[in-house]
Amino acid sequence: MPAFHLVTRRGLLAAAASCAVLAPGPSRAGAAPTRVVSLDYGLAETLLALGVPPIAIAEADQWATWVVEPAMPPGVINLGAAQEANLELLHALKPELILTTPYLAPLGPVLARIARTESFAIYTPEPGTPYPRSVDATRRLGDMIGRESQAQELINASAARMAATRAALAPHAGTPVFLVSFMDTRHVRVYGAKSLFDDVMTLCGLANAWQGGVNYWGFDTVGIEQLARTPEARLIYVEPIAADVLAALGRSPLWNSLGFVRAGRVHAMPPALMFGMLPSAMRFAGLLGQTLAGAPAHG
């Protein structure tokens, strides 16, 4: 699911109703599926990492903004917004496997009429967090598409990236860090428990400065004044951020009064998918290491 969309149940049900007569495409008995469609960015990036590029994804046009890497190969079909996917086009593509999530559960019945549909729960209200769920989902997906060894290689590579980043950031061990995305000049989306970012920070030896409540996606939207509770923290904001927001922050008395701003402990980070799986976790860990590499360990 892209970072900037919310479920529109009416849109989901309308899309399902519009394609209620579609029948499943052909499948090859006993063969691992190669014509795979993903309606979720995290599952799409995992497919790429396993060497099976999807034939179509939701919101392909936004991939380079929110995911960045791995790069999406040219020719992958854009199905539009996940909750309002072009189901006629999807049917015409004759997929053998459609990957989805509980976020899109209302579409499940109509998707199943087009092709075999499998749902993966990474971000849910149930107990658990995204990183270990992503490990399990990677194994399951690898089994599903005949890429078991590649799945284990990805899991191993991700664990190695976490260990290497933890070692590189040893001088910062226990450092409280706010991870945020700016919504406007006065509000941020702050990532806490149950977020992929929180899992990665923990694995890399950092402390999440946000101890407040979050939704099951692992974030809350708060006024920037709420970040004043931990003045000794560092703040990392994840791009993209509008240029006018940065300019306005520079003139904001509230922003400039915050402890981490006064102390110069504010860092920009290139985009990393906050609702991704292991490839996003690896990218985020690498960017985390680069972002803090030149920062003093204390102060």
Side-chain angles (χ1 to χ4, degrees):
M1 184 204 71
F4 43 87
H5 276 294
L6 297 175
V7 171
T8 303
R9 183 172 179 85
R10 181 182 298 175
L12 285 168
L13 295 176
S18 71
C19 291
V21 299
L22 296 179
S27 61
R28 299 170 298 157
T34 58
R35 295 185 60 78
V36 184
V37 166
S38 176
L39 298 181
D40 174 78
Y41 278 175
L43 292 165
E45 68 181 3
T46 305
L47 282 173
L48 290 172
L50 299 183
V52 180
I55 61 171
I57 66 169
E59 302 193 40
D61 57 324
Q62 296 294 318
W63 183 270
T65 299
W66 297 100
V67 186
V68 184
E69 62 177 357
M72 185 59 65
V76 175
I77 302 298
N78 184 8
L79 293 170
Q83 68 270 34
E84 297 177 355
N86 186 331
L87 299 178
E88 292 89 347
L89 174 58
L90 178 57
H91 184 261
L93 290 171
K94 294 180 167 49
E96 299 169 290
L97 176 64
I98 300 171
L99 305 180
T100 185
T101 70
Y103 174 81
L104 298 172
L107 271 182
V110 71
L111 293 176
R113 292 179 65 85
I114 297 173
R116 173 187 174 189
T117 300
E118 297 288 346
S119 180
F120 291 75
I122 308 299
Y123 299 86
T124 76
E126 285 72 36
T129 60
Y131 190 92
R133 285 178 178 155
S134 294
V135 170
D136 293 342
T138 297
R139 287 199 179 97
R140 179 184 163 205
L141 182 56
D143 290 345
M144 199 173 288
I145 62 174
R147 296 285 171 140
E148 296 89 344
S149 62
Q150 291 89 342
Q152 189 58 52
E153 289 169 6
L154 176 58
I155 292 166
N156 293 345
S158 184
R161 174 68 60 85
M162 300 304 134
T165 303
R166 187 183 186 94
L169 293 180
H172 295 275
T175 297
V177 177
F178 285 117
L179 251 296
V180 306
S181 299
F182 276 97
M183 310 306 289
D184 55 38
T185 58
R186 295 186 61 87
H187 299 89
V188 294
R189 175 184 287 176
V190 61
Y191 300 95
K194 291 183 74 68
S195 71
L196 184 66
F197 288 170
D198 182 77
D199 278 354
V200 172
M201 284 197 292
T202 299
L203 290 168
C204 294
L206 302 178
N208 195 328
W210 182 255
Q211 296 299 308
V214 293
N215 58 20
Y216 72 80
W217 294 99
F219 72 85
D220 193 11
T221 300
V222 302
I224 59 174
E225 69 279 358
Q226 294 194 45
L227 305 182
R229 300 172 183 173
T230 314
E232 72 278 12
R234 292 189 176 277
L235 180 136
I236 298 175
Y237 65 86
V238 183
E239 297 174 330
I241 179 173
D244 60 338
V245 169
L246 277 179
L249 285 172
R251 301 187 299 268
S252 166
L254 173 58
W255 173 250
N256 287 295
S257 72
L258 298 174
F260 45 76
V261 178
R262 295 199 311 270
R265 295 193 299 268
V266 178
H267 311 270
M269 176 183 285
L273 182 62
M274 57 286 293
F275 305 132
M277 292 174 58
L278 295 186
S280 286
M282 294 170 69
R283 174 173 168 81
F284 176 65
L287 292 173
L288 195 59
Q290 295 170 24
T291 299
L292 295 179
H298 303 284

